[in-house]
Amino acid sequence: MDIHEYQAKELLTKFGVPIPRGGLAYSPEQATYRASELGGAVVVKAQIHSGARGKAGGVKLCRNEREIEEAAESMLGRKLVTHQTGPAGKLVSRLYIEEATNIDREIYLGFVMDRATERIVVVASAAGGMDIEEISATQPDTIIRVTVDPAVGMQQFQAREIAFGLGVDPEIVNKIVPAIMGAYRAFRDLDAMMVEINPLVITKEKQVLALDAKMSFDENALFRRPHIAELRDKSQEDPRETYASDRGLSYVGLDGDIGCIVNGAGLAMATLDMIKLAGGEPANFLDIGGGASPERVTKSFRAVLRDKNVRAILVNVFAGINRCDWVAKGVVDAVKELNITMPIVVRLAGTNVEEGRRIIDTSGLTVISADTLAEAAKKAVEAAKKAA
Ligand code: GDP
Ligand code: MN
């Protein structure tokens, strides 16, 4: 789960990461009021779940009331399209008004969970301000990577090593080390998956400040972090995914036209591959899980059908814990209840498969059966092409 910049800053500052003063605004009038509280020049920042806002007109330095109003009006209520949001963009309904900073140097600082080593990795670069992808493409030798041993946590010497690696002045080292350590503790103590401060700046006045902040959290740990769960902003999420996750389904929206209903994450991934191999494009990843009841299967159909690009549905179930007869009953119920007219391809294997096939065959519905995954994928791709 992602959160907004201002929320990440509020969390990070509690862990000792220094941030500029700022406040939230929902209207141009509030924006000018916040600016008057801060005094002097301010930066008006669109709050959306995306980086690269600066290049898209979502970060503006303003020197007077007129400029603040203009900036606020140009952002509020509009969709901001950055190279991370996709063409649909994301709705701006909040602004963060922050005192302007005299930047001397911009540093990149990120914390990620490295799945290969199962450890938190700190990534830093003296080439801050641009995204990490751009840094690794254009200035890879500036990248510093430090792995944290989970038994002892991040050590002061590691933060100092990063500071020296960045080539900061000795007087700055003592300011940047607590910022790095604080961001690490926030990552660890809040069950974060990612913390990115880009840029972490050194000001002309020799202060260290987190000018931007991004945090993302492990959704499986939210049950024990209610104050983090409250920060969720559904307006920033893919509505298809929000609908599914609110109903306990494991769903990821994709861009194609073949809806997928599969049990098991591995089989779901294999199904996407087989669809691609057969020349089609999946509309989603959906894992219905083990022991799925007919109701859960129907619920999955509802979720898949909310995507208006879907032209055919592929149900692929290998029943171990699951039961093919339950899945089959779920398919039949869904088709009747939801009046589904689009082609549905069903491939069942495993526990109670004969009973499952019998339920489908005697239902009187025109469901396309398949014996293997390859055949199912081919039939689904054909059906979607015909419907297009
Ligand atoms: P992003 O584009 O979504 O990553 O938004 P950022 O908050 O990182 O802002 C983009 C860029 O705007 C930063 O890298 C800075 O160069 C610049 N910027 C942001 N805040 C200030 C500020 O207070 N003063 C100045 N001079 N530049 C700023
Ligand atoms: Mn940034």
Side-chain angles (χ1 to χ4, degrees), residues 116-355:
T117 56
E118 300 176 8
R119 277 158 172 61
I120 297 172
V121 172
V122 191
V123 182
S125 162
M130 47 181 156
D131 354 335
I132 190 66
E133 290 82 8
E134 206 179 330
I135 299 173
S136 41
T138 61
Q139 307 193 46
D141 35 301
T142 66
I143 295 176
I144 303 163
R145 290 169 66 90
V146 169
T147 302
V148 178
D149 186 325
V152 292
M154 186 165 187
Q155 300 293 301
Q156 290 269 343
F157 81 85
Q158 293 183 299
R160 278 198 298 275
E161 224 168 68
I162 293 169
F164 292 130
L166 292 167
V168 302
D169 296 341
E171 53 174 322
I172 301 292
V173 173
N174 289 333
K175 291 178 180 167
I176 207 167
V177 166
I180 297 171
M181 295 300 288
Y184 163 75
R185 278 195 304 274
F187 184 109
R188 186 196 58 193
D189 292 359
L190 302 176
D191 291 314
M193 297 286 280
M194 188 270 290
V195 172
E196 189 184 66
I197 301 175
N198 185 26
L200 177 71
V201 301
I202 299 166
T203 68
K204 297 228 163 77
E205 299 81 20
K206 309 274 179 213
Q207 295 303 309
V208 170
L209 283 175
L211 223 56
D212 189 10
K214 250 171 124 179
M215 285 183 88
S216 171
F217 296 89
D218 183 349
E219 277 159 44
N220 295 311
L222 286 178
F223 74 94
R224 62 179 191 183
R225 308 274 170 232
H227 69 294
I228 302 292
E230 278 172 17
L231 302 178
R232 184 167 173 194
D233 180 357
K234 289 184 187 176
S235 78
Q236 298 293 309
E237 298 172 4
D238 181 334
R240 298 176 298 172
E241 290 180 7
T242 309
Y243 178 91
S245 77
D246 283 352
R247 284 154 187 82
L249 296 169
S250 172
Y251 175 105
V252 180
L254 301 168
D255 301 328
D257 57 2
I258 299 172
C260 300
I261 297 176
V262 188
N263 76 311
L267 189 61
M269 300 283 273
T271 305
L272 303 189
D273 285 347
M274 291 305 274
I275 289 173
K276 286 257 191 187
L277 204 63
E281 290 293 334
N284 66 278
F285 164 102
L286 195 161
D287 170 14
I288 59 170
S293 60
E295 291 76 19
R296 196 169 165 80
V297 175
T298 312
K299 204 153 71 170
S300 302
F301 269 95
R302 276 214 180 83
V304 166
L305 287 167
R306 289 184 71 83
D307 182 344
K308 294 301 160 220
N309 292 329
V310 171
R311 292 203 178 96
I313 298 174
L314 170 52
V315 180
N316 183 21
V317 172
F318 189 94
I321 307 167
N322 243 316
R323 288 175 41 176
C324 288
D325 51 330
W326 284 357
V327 174
K329 185 169 184 313
V331 173
V332 172
D333 288 353
V335 174
K336 287 185 179 156
E337 239 177 77
L338 309 175
N339 287 320
I340 304 174
T341 50
M342 73 175 65
I344 299 172
V345 179
V346 180
R347 181 253 177 170
L348 298 174
T351 310
N352 291 359
V353 63
E354 289 82 15
E355 179 60 8

Side-chain angles (χ1 to χ4, degrees), residues 5 43 45 50-54 59 61 99-101 103 106 129 198-199 211-212:
E5 172 197 4
V43 180
K45 309 184 79 175
S50 167
R53 296 162 301 168
V59 177
L61 180 68
E99 62 182 346
T101 305
I103 302 174
E106 297 191 68
N198 185 26
L211 223 56
D212 189 10

